[in-house]
Amino acid sequence: MSEKYSTIAAIDIGSNKISMTMAEISPGGKVKFIEDVKISSSIGKDTFNDGRISAGTIYETCEILKKFTLLMKDYGIEKHVAIATSGLREAENSEYIIDQIGIKTGIRVEIINNAQERYYSYLALKNKLNEKKYLHNKPVLVVNISSGGVEVSVQRNGRLIFTEYLKLGSLRLREMLAGLESMSIDYPRIMEEFIESKLYLIKSSIRSMKIRNFIGLGGEMQTILGIIQKDISLAGEEVPQIKTGVVTDLYNKLKGMSINQITDFYDISRGEAEILLPTVILFNSFIKMTKAEEILAPAASHRYGLLYDFADRSTSGGGSSNSNIINAVWKIAKKYGVDKKHASYVVKTALSIFDQSLETSKLDIKDRLYLQIAAILHDAGNYAGFTRHEKQTYNIIKMQSILGISDEEQRIIANVAYYHTSKIPSRLHKNYVDLNDKDKIRVAKLSAILKFAESMDSSHTQKIKSLKISKDNDLLTFYVYSARDIQLEKWSVEENVDYFEEVMGIKPYIQIVNSDN
């Protein structure tokens, strides 16, 4: 009997291209790519020049996506996910465009933030290279150059140790500095100086790591690969590898050429030629920060990351994807001096309550991740002082760039952490009022669980060994196992009983069970 595959398309509405990758996902979560489609777009030019996307570009975008819907129908695609990055994210009229796309094409687009972009790139890279020698032992610099920005990260042993997003995308640079091109005979040098000035703050950090492994990503990397085909070697699973000196030589050649000359000499489109120079300058600038002799250039786009994430969540509940996010959150916790022993205990307890009370709460697997992050960071505000630390925690979480977490999700998590103390949600709290009704309920339920979990370690000595929850009609009994005196914890939990009952619609009862085992 053959396996039943699900088919899915990942759509990326980028600044200068709208792309779609179609794939099959096996019941075991293996992704098999079917086809890639890319069509040029004017979204980035409009946004980076005028701050808004013109009516003509909106029509153009909808027509492209209509073609994609027909193609999906031809391939029998069962589901699609669509994201938009900086070109749409920074447009002042992005809401209108999202609405028109939905009405005219039936495609629901999510505008993702920088942290989500990095997350999907990371997933694509991790799966593309299969976590072999490139992501292990020694630090590796990953530079992903898109039209709107540059995602820079350093990874070691498959984990992120440094990450930054810079608004220095190839198309953005081209549009920002276009006025200088006609004013100077040494335009490439001026562009290089501008780029170097913007990279100044991260240079010392990257140089101090003495990096020898370099991975280059982004759509324009494929243009570079096409130009320098004879200088490419293959590594591992036929992943292209470029000598860093070849990139430097290419930059030196491009410096003396006009756009028309680049177009004719390399047989590429004018659009590709216009952003080739800033792309090569950017890569060359990062080369100079490292001791790398080669750049590994795997095809690992956001779309691939979307597909790998969907496969993981549909087959394993997101276990692998979530572990990457949680690792990044623990780094934030360390940065703010969070007591790891206490936070780990609260996380374990909160997730135990969540899992055992799902029938009552009616929450879902995504909510479990929000609770886990809030539990890790619930005391981060102590970094700024113990007075009203819950408010400081809220502000800290809101200002973070949490890998793979959207702005809306971050607001939910920040609110859950804010209400881990005796404070409860109120219409007088702007942070709570600004949430939609569905998210208000989500925050209330998750904070009720977090209050219980935090209360069970009031002494910060982890006295409670385990707990079991039993439901009987309108009573939810918490059997708390401990061989120690836990009167403080019991009193602290009982202070939150009324709120838990109000939110969950069932009365909790705490039953202490003496346990020497």
PDB file of all heavy atoms in Angstrom, residues 259-285:
ATOM      1  N   ILE A 259      25.697  49.573 -15.962  1.00  0.00           N
ATOM      2  CA  ILE A 259      24.609  48.591 -15.903  1.00  0.00           C
ATOM      3  C   ILE A 259      24.411  47.940 -17.271  1.00  0.00           C
ATOM      4  O   ILE A 259      24.235  46.717 -17.380  1.00  0.00           O
ATOM      5  CB  ILE A 259      23.291  49.251 -15.431  1.00  0.00           C
ATOM      6  CG1 ILE A 259      23.445  49.768 -14.002  1.00  0.00           C
ATOM      7  CG2 ILE A 259      22.140  48.259 -15.502  1.00  0.00           C
ATOM      8  CD1 ILE A 259      23.784  48.719 -12.968  1.00  0.00           C
ATOM      9  N   ASN A 260      24.448  48.736 -18.320  1.00  0.00           N
ATOM     10  CA  ASN A 260      24.282  48.180 -19.673  1.00  0.00           C
ATOM     11  C   ASN A 260      25.405  47.190 -20.003  1.00  0.00           C
ATOM     12  O   ASN A 260      25.158  46.136 -20.609  1.00  0.00           O
ATOM     13  CB  ASN A 260      24.255  49.297 -20.714  1.00  0.00           C
ATOM     14  CG  ASN A 260      22.958  50.098 -20.659  1.00  0.00           C
ATOM     15  OD1 ASN A 260      21.935  49.595 -20.206  1.00  0.00           O
ATOM     16  ND2 ASN A 260      23.005  51.352 -21.101  1.00  0.00           N
ATOM     17  N   GLN A 261      26.627  47.528 -19.608  1.00  0.00           N
ATOM     18  CA  GLN A 261      27.746  46.634 -19.864  1.00  0.00           C
ATOM     19  C   GLN A 261      27.613  45.326 -19.088  1.00  0.00           C
ATOM     20  O   GLN A 261      27.894  44.244 -19.611  1.00  0.00           O
ATOM     21  CB  GLN A 261      29.063  47.329 -19.501  1.00  0.00           C
ATOM     22  CG  GLN A 261      29.453  48.429 -20.468  1.00  0.00           C
ATOM     23  CD  GLN A 261      30.654  49.225 -19.972  1.00  0.00           C
ATOM     24  OE1 GLN A 261      30.834  49.428 -18.772  1.00  0.00           O
ATOM     25  NE2 GLN A 261      31.482  49.686 -20.915  1.00  0.00           N
ATOM     26  N   ILE A 262      27.161  45.430 -17.837  1.00  0.00           N
ATOM     27  CA  ILE A 262      26.956  44.219 -17.016  1.00  0.00           C
ATOM     28  C   ILE A 262      25.878  43.340 -17.650  1.00  0.00           C
ATOM     29  O   ILE A 262      26.022  42.123 -17.755  1.00  0.00           O
ATOM     30  CB  ILE A 262      26.554  44.607 -15.573  1.00  0.00           C
ATOM     31  CG1 ILE A 262      27.720  45.308 -14.871  1.00  0.00           C
ATOM     32  CG2 ILE A 262      26.127  43.378 -14.781  1.00  0.00           C
ATOM     33  CD1 ILE A 262      27.360  45.886 -13.511  1.00  0.00           C
ATOM     34  N   THR A 263      24.793  43.983 -18.091  1.00  0.00           N
ATOM     35  CA  THR A 263      23.691  43.247 -18.721  1.00  0.00           C
ATOM     36  C   THR A 263      24.175  42.488 -19.948  1.00  0.00           C
ATOM     37  O   THR A 263      23.875  41.297 -20.112  1.00  0.00           O
ATOM     38  CB  THR A 263      22.559  44.221 -19.120  1.00  0.00           C
ATOM     39  OG1 THR A 263      22.091  44.899 -17.955  1.00  0.00           O
ATOM     40  CG2 THR A 263      21.403  43.470 -19.758  1.00  0.00           C
ATOM     41  N   ASP A 264      24.926  43.171 -20.825  1.00  0.00           N
ATOM     42  CA  ASP A 264      25.383  42.551 -22.076  1.00  0.00           C
ATOM     43  C   ASP A 264      26.476  41.511 -21.837  1.00  0.00           C
ATOM     44  O   ASP A 264      26.439  40.412 -22.402  1.00  0.00           O
ATOM     45  CB  ASP A 264      25.908  43.631 -23.041  1.00  0.00           C
ATOM     46  CG  ASP A 264      24.815  44.580 -23.497  1.00  0.00           C
ATOM     47  OD1 ASP A 264      23.634  44.194 -23.428  1.00  0.00           O
ATOM     48  OD2 ASP A 264      25.133  45.717 -23.911  1.00  0.00           O
ATOM     49  N   PHE A 265      27.441  41.847 -20.980  1.00  0.00           N
ATOM     50  CA  PHE A 265      28.603  40.978 -20.795  1.00  0.00           C
ATOM     51  C   PHE A 265      28.223  39.659 -20.120  1.00  0.00           C
ATOM     52  O   PHE A 265      28.719  38.589 -20.480  1.00  0.00           O
ATOM     53  CB  PHE A 265      29.665  41.707 -19.966  1.00  0.00           C
ATOM     54  CG  PHE A 265      30.967  40.971 -19.878  1.00  0.00           C
ATOM     55  CD1 PHE A 265      31.891  41.035 -20.913  1.00  0.00           C
ATOM     56  CD2 PHE A 265      31.279  40.203 -18.748  1.00  0.00           C
ATOM     57  CE1 PHE A 265      33.096  40.340 -20.834  1.00  0.00           C
ATOM     58  CE2 PHE A 265      32.475  39.516 -18.669  1.00  0.00           C
ATOM     59  CZ  PHE A 265      33.392  39.589 -19.715  1.00  0.00           C
ATOM     60  N   TYR A 266      27.332  39.731 -19.146  1.00  0.00           N
ATOM     61  CA  TYR A 266      26.978  38.523 -18.395  1.00  0.00           C
ATOM     62  C   TYR A 266      25.651  37.902 -18.834  1.00  0.00           C
ATOM     63  O   TYR A 266      25.225  36.891 -18.284  1.00  0.00           O
ATOM     64  CB  TYR A 266      26.928  38.826 -16.898  1.00  0.00           C
ATOM     65  CG  TYR A 266      28.285  39.154 -16.313  1.00  0.00           C
ATOM     66  CD1 TYR A 266      28.577  40.441 -15.857  1.00  0.00           C
ATOM     67  CD2 TYR A 266      29.283  38.191 -16.234  1.00  0.00           C
ATOM     68  CE1 TYR A 266      29.823  40.751 -15.323  1.00  0.00           C
ATOM     69  CE2 TYR A 266      30.534  38.484 -15.705  1.00  0.00           C
ATOM     70  CZ  TYR A 266      30.801  39.767 -15.254  1.00  0.00           C
ATOM     71  OH  TYR A 266      32.046  40.059 -14.726  1.00  0.00           O
ATOM     72  N   ASP A 267      24.995  38.535 -19.841  1.00  0.00           N
ATOM     73  CA  ASP A 267      23.739  38.021 -20.386  1.00  0.00           C
ATOM     74  C   ASP A 267      22.688  37.802 -19.284  1.00  0.00           C
ATOM     75  O   ASP A 267      22.118  36.725 -19.127  1.00  0.00           O
ATOM     76  CB  ASP A 267      23.983  36.708 -21.136  1.00  0.00           C
ATOM     77  CG  ASP A 267      22.757  36.294 -21.966  1.00  0.00           C
ATOM     78  OD1 ASP A 267      21.974  37.188 -22.338  1.00  0.00           O
ATOM     79  OD2 ASP A 267      22.593  35.083 -22.217  1.00  0.00           O
ATOM     80  N   ILE A 268      22.449  38.854 -18.517  1.00  0.00           N
ATOM     81  CA  ILE A 268      21.421  38.820 -17.474  1.00  0.00           C
ATOM     82  C   ILE A 268      20.462  39.975 -17.705  1.00  0.00           C
ATOM     83  O   ILE A 268      20.752  40.896 -18.477  1.00  0.00           O
ATOM     84  CB  ILE A 268      22.032  38.905 -16.061  1.00  0.00           C
ATOM     85  CG1 ILE A 268      22.869  40.186 -15.905  1.00  0.00           C
ATOM     86  CG2 ILE A 268      22.876  37.671 -15.763  1.00  0.00           C
ATOM     87  CD1 ILE A 268      23.458  40.365 -14.511  1.00  0.00           C
ATOM     88  N   SER A 269      19.312  39.944 -17.052  1.00  0.00           N
ATOM     89  CA  SER A 269      18.324  41.007 -17.226  1.00  0.00           C
ATOM     90  C   SER A 269      18.818  42.298 -16.575  1.00  0.00           C
ATOM     91  O   SER A 269      19.707  42.283 -15.713  1.00  0.00           O
ATOM     92  CB  SER A 269      16.992  40.604 -16.585  1.00  0.00           C
ATOM     93  OG  SER A 269      17.105  40.596 -15.173  1.00  0.00           O
ATOM     94  N   ARG A 270      18.224  43.417 -16.964  1.00  0.00           N
ATOM     95  CA  ARG A 270      18.617  44.703 -16.382  1.00  0.00           C
ATOM     96  C   ARG A 270      18.335  44.728 -14.879  1.00  0.00           C
ATOM     97  O   ARG A 270      19.122  45.257 -14.093  1.00  0.00           O
ATOM     98  CB  ARG A 270      17.880  45.855 -17.078  1.00  0.00           C
ATOM     99  CG  ARG A 270      18.347  47.225 -16.573  1.00  0.00           C
ATOM    100  CD  ARG A 270      17.777  48.378 -17.355  1.00  0.00           C
ATOM    101  NE  ARG A 270      18.287  49.638 -16.824  1.00  0.00           N
ATOM    102  CZ  ARG A 270      19.449  50.178 -17.156  1.00  0.00           C
ATOM    103  NH1 ARG A 270      20.223  49.557 -18.037  1.00  0.00           N
ATOM    104  NH2 ARG A 270      19.849  51.318 -16.619  1.00  0.00           N
ATOM    105  N   GLY A 271      17.205  44.139 -14.498  1.00  0.00           N
ATOM    106  CA  GLY A 271      16.867  44.086 -13.076  1.00  0.00           C
ATOM    107  C   GLY A 271      17.913  43.334 -12.279  1.00  0.00           C
ATOM    108  O   GLY A 271      18.304  43.750 -11.179  1.00  0.00           O
ATOM    109  N   GLU A 272      18.386  42.211 -12.808  1.00  0.00           N
ATOM    110  CA  GLU A 272      19.433  41.435 -12.130  1.00  0.00           C
ATOM    111  C   GLU A 272      20.741  42.218 -12.096  1.00  0.00           C
ATOM    112  O   GLU A 272      21.465  42.198 -11.097  1.00  0.00           O
ATOM    113  CB  GLU A 272      19.638  40.096 -12.848  1.00  0.00           C
ATOM    114  CG  GLU A 272      18.481  39.127 -12.686  1.00  0.00           C
ATOM    115  CD  GLU A 272      18.643  37.887 -13.540  1.00  0.00           C
ATOM    116  OE1 GLU A 272      19.145  38.016 -14.689  1.00  0.00           O
ATOM    117  OE2 GLU A 272      18.265  36.791 -13.077  1.00  0.00           O
ATOM    118  N   ALA A 273      21.036  42.916 -13.203  1.00  0.00           N
ATOM    119  CA  ALA A 273      22.282  43.690 -13.289  1.00  0.00           C
ATOM    120  C   ALA A 273      22.294  44.830 -12.271  1.00  0.00           C
ATOM    121  O   ALA A 273      23.339  45.140 -11.677  1.00  0.00           O
ATOM    122  CB  ALA A 273      22.460  44.244 -14.700  1.00  0.00           C
ATOM    123  N   GLU A 274      21.148  45.468 -12.049  1.00  0.00           N
ATOM    124  CA  GLU A 274      21.079  46.623 -11.149  1.00  0.00           C
ATOM    125  C   GLU A 274      21.389  46.259  -9.700  1.00  0.00           C
ATOM    126  O   GLU A 274      21.934  47.079  -8.959  1.00  0.00           O
ATOM    127  CB  GLU A 274      19.691  47.264 -11.238  1.00  0.00           C
ATOM    128  CG  GLU A 274      19.464  48.052 -12.517  1.00  0.00           C
ATOM    129  CD  GLU A 274      18.082  48.651 -12.588  1.00  0.00           C
ATOM    130  OE1 GLU A 274      17.195  48.199 -11.827  1.00  0.00           O
ATOM    131  OE2 GLU A 274      17.882  49.573 -13.399  1.00  0.00           O
ATOM    132  N   ILE A 275      21.031  45.054  -9.301  1.00  0.00           N
ATOM    133  CA  ILE A 275      21.272  44.696  -7.894  1.00  0.00           C
ATOM    134  C   ILE A 275      22.456  43.737  -7.729  1.00  0.00           C
ATOM    135  O   ILE A 275      22.761  43.327  -6.607  1.00  0.00           O
ATOM    136  CB  ILE A 275      20.006  44.083  -7.247  1.00  0.00           C
ATOM    137  CG1 ILE A 275      19.526  42.856  -8.011  1.00  0.00           C
ATOM    138  CG2 ILE A 275      18.908  45.122  -7.161  1.00  0.00           C
ATOM    139  CD1 ILE A 275      18.294  42.217  -7.379  1.00  0.00           C
ATOM    140  N   LEU A 276      23.132  43.420  -8.833  1.00  0.00           N
ATOM    141  CA  LEU A 276      24.305  42.553  -8.739  1.00  0.00           C
ATOM    142  C   LEU A 276      25.446  43.241  -7.995  1.00  0.00           C
ATOM    143  O   LEU A 276      26.076  42.638  -7.110  1.00  0.00           O
ATOM    144  CB  LEU A 276      24.763  42.132 -10.144  1.00  0.00           C
ATOM    145  CG  LEU A 276      26.005  41.226 -10.205  1.00  0.00           C
ATOM    146  CD1 LEU A 276      25.748  39.914  -9.462  1.00  0.00           C
ATOM    147  CD2 LEU A 276      26.386  40.950 -11.667  1.00  0.00           C
ATOM    148  N   LEU A 277      25.724  44.502  -8.329  1.00  0.00           N
ATOM    149  CA  LEU A 277      26.832  45.208  -7.694  1.00  0.00           C
ATOM    150  C   LEU A 277      26.659  45.309  -6.178  1.00  0.00           C
ATOM    151  O   LEU A 277      27.580  44.929  -5.429  1.00  0.00           O
ATOM    152  CB  LEU A 277      27.007  46.597  -8.309  1.00  0.00           C
ATOM    153  CG  LEU A 277      28.109  47.466  -7.690  1.00  0.00           C
ATOM    154  CD1 LEU A 277      29.477  46.821  -7.881  1.00  0.00           C
ATOM    155  CD2 LEU A 277      28.082  48.881  -8.286  1.00  0.00           C
ATOM    156  N   PRO A 278      25.516  45.812  -5.659  1.00  0.00           N
ATOM    157  CA  PRO A 278      25.378  45.881  -4.192  1.00  0.00           C
ATOM    158  C   PRO A 278      25.462  44.515  -3.517  1.00  0.00           C
ATOM    159  O   PRO A 278      25.994  44.398  -2.416  1.00  0.00           O
ATOM    160  CB  PRO A 278      24.002  46.535  -3.977  1.00  0.00           C
ATOM    161  CG  PRO A 278      23.306  46.480  -5.289  1.00  0.00           C
ATOM    162  CD  PRO A 278      24.365  46.453  -6.335  1.00  0.00           C
ATOM    163  N   THR A 279      24.956  43.473  -4.210  1.00  0.00           N
ATOM    164  CA  THR A 279      25.028  42.120  -3.633  1.00  0.00           C
ATOM    165  C   THR A 279      26.475  41.678  -3.485  1.00  0.00           C
ATOM    166  O   THR A 279      26.888  41.174  -2.429  1.00  0.00           O
ATOM    167  CB  THR A 279      24.271  41.107  -4.515  1.00  0.00           C
ATOM    168  OG1 THR A 279      22.909  41.514  -4.647  1.00  0.00           O
ATOM    169  CG2 THR A 279      24.315  39.714  -3.903  1.00  0.00           C
ATOM    170  N   VAL A 280      27.254  41.868  -4.525  1.00  0.00           N
ATOM    171  CA  VAL A 280      28.659  41.441  -4.510  1.00  0.00           C
ATOM    172  C   VAL A 280      29.463  42.271  -3.503  1.00  0.00           C
ATOM    173  O   VAL A 280      30.320  41.743  -2.780  1.00  0.00           O
ATOM    174  CB  VAL A 280      29.272  41.535  -5.921  1.00  0.00           C
ATOM    175  CG1 VAL A 280      30.776  41.257  -5.874  1.00  0.00           C
ATOM    176  CG2 VAL A 280      28.589  40.549  -6.861  1.00  0.00           C
ATOM    177  N   ILE A 281      29.180  43.580  -3.412  1.00  0.00           N
ATOM    178  CA  ILE A 281      29.871  44.421  -2.429  1.00  0.00           C
ATOM    179  C   ILE A 281      29.574  43.918  -1.010  1.00  0.00           C
ATOM    180  O   ILE A 281      30.466  43.838  -0.157  1.00  0.00           O
ATOM    181  CB  ILE A 281      29.461  45.901  -2.561  1.00  0.00           C
ATOM    182  CG1 ILE A 281      29.963  46.487  -3.886  1.00  0.00           C
ATOM    183  CG2 ILE A 281      30.021  46.719  -1.398  1.00  0.00           C
ATOM    184  CD1 ILE A 281      29.525  47.920  -4.124  1.00  0.00           C
ATOM    185  N   LEU A 282      28.304  43.588  -0.745  1.00  0.00           N
ATOM    186  CA  LEU A 282      27.920  43.098   0.578  1.00  0.00           C
ATOM    187  C   LEU A 282      28.662  41.808   0.926  1.00  0.00           C
ATOM    188  O   LEU A 282      29.249  41.685   2.009  1.00  0.00           O
ATOM    189  CB  LEU A 282      26.404  42.867   0.640  1.00  0.00           C
ATOM    190  CG  LEU A 282      25.546  44.112   0.852  1.00  0.00           C
ATOM    191  CD1 LEU A 282      24.095  43.836   0.500  1.00  0.00           C
ATOM    192  CD2 LEU A 282      25.650  44.605   2.292  1.00  0.00           C
ATOM    193  N   PHE A 283      28.644  40.845   0.000  1.00  0.00           N
ATOM    194  CA  PHE A 283      29.337  39.585   0.264  1.00  0.00           C
ATOM    195  C   PHE A 283      30.831  39.833   0.479  1.00  0.00           C
ATOM    196  O   PHE A 283      31.446  39.252   1.377  1.00  0.00           O
ATOM    197  CB  PHE A 283      29.127  38.591  -0.880  1.00  0.00           C
ATOM    198  CG  PHE A 283      27.865  37.786  -0.761  1.00  0.00           C
ATOM    199  CD1 PHE A 283      26.936  37.746  -1.794  1.00  0.00           C
ATOM    200  CD2 PHE A 283      27.596  37.051   0.390  1.00  0.00           C
ATOM    201  CE1 PHE A 283      25.773  36.995  -1.685  1.00  0.00           C
ATOM    202  CE2 PHE A 283      26.421  36.305   0.520  1.00  0.00           C
ATOM    203  CZ  PHE A 283      25.513  36.280  -0.527  1.00  0.00           C
ATOM    204  N   ASN A 284      31.417  40.701  -0.336  1.00  0.00           N
ATOM    205  CA  ASN A 284      32.842  40.985  -0.221  1.00  0.00           C
ATOM    206  C   ASN A 284      33.170  41.649   1.117  1.00  0.00           C
ATOM    207  O   ASN A 284      34.218  41.379   1.720  1.00  0.00           O
ATOM    208  CB  ASN A 284      33.296  41.884  -1.368  1.00  0.00           C
ATOM    209  CG  ASN A 284      34.802  41.938  -1.503  1.00  0.00           C
ATOM    210  OD1 ASN A 284      35.457  40.897  -1.623  1.00  0.00           O
ATOM    211  ND2 ASN A 284      35.376  43.122  -1.488  1.00  0.00           N
ATOM    212  N   SER A 285      32.266  42.496   1.613  1.00  0.00           N
ATOM    213  CA  SER A 285      32.478  43.153   2.909  1.00  0.00           C
ATOM    214  C   SER A 285      32.507  42.129   4.039  1.00  0.00           C
ATOM    215  O   SER A 285      33.316  42.239   4.978  1.00  0.00           O
ATOM    216  CB  SER A 285      31.370  44.184   3.169  1.00  0.00           C
ATOM    217  OG  SER A 285      31.437  45.240   2.239  1.00  0.00           O
TER     218      SER A 285
END
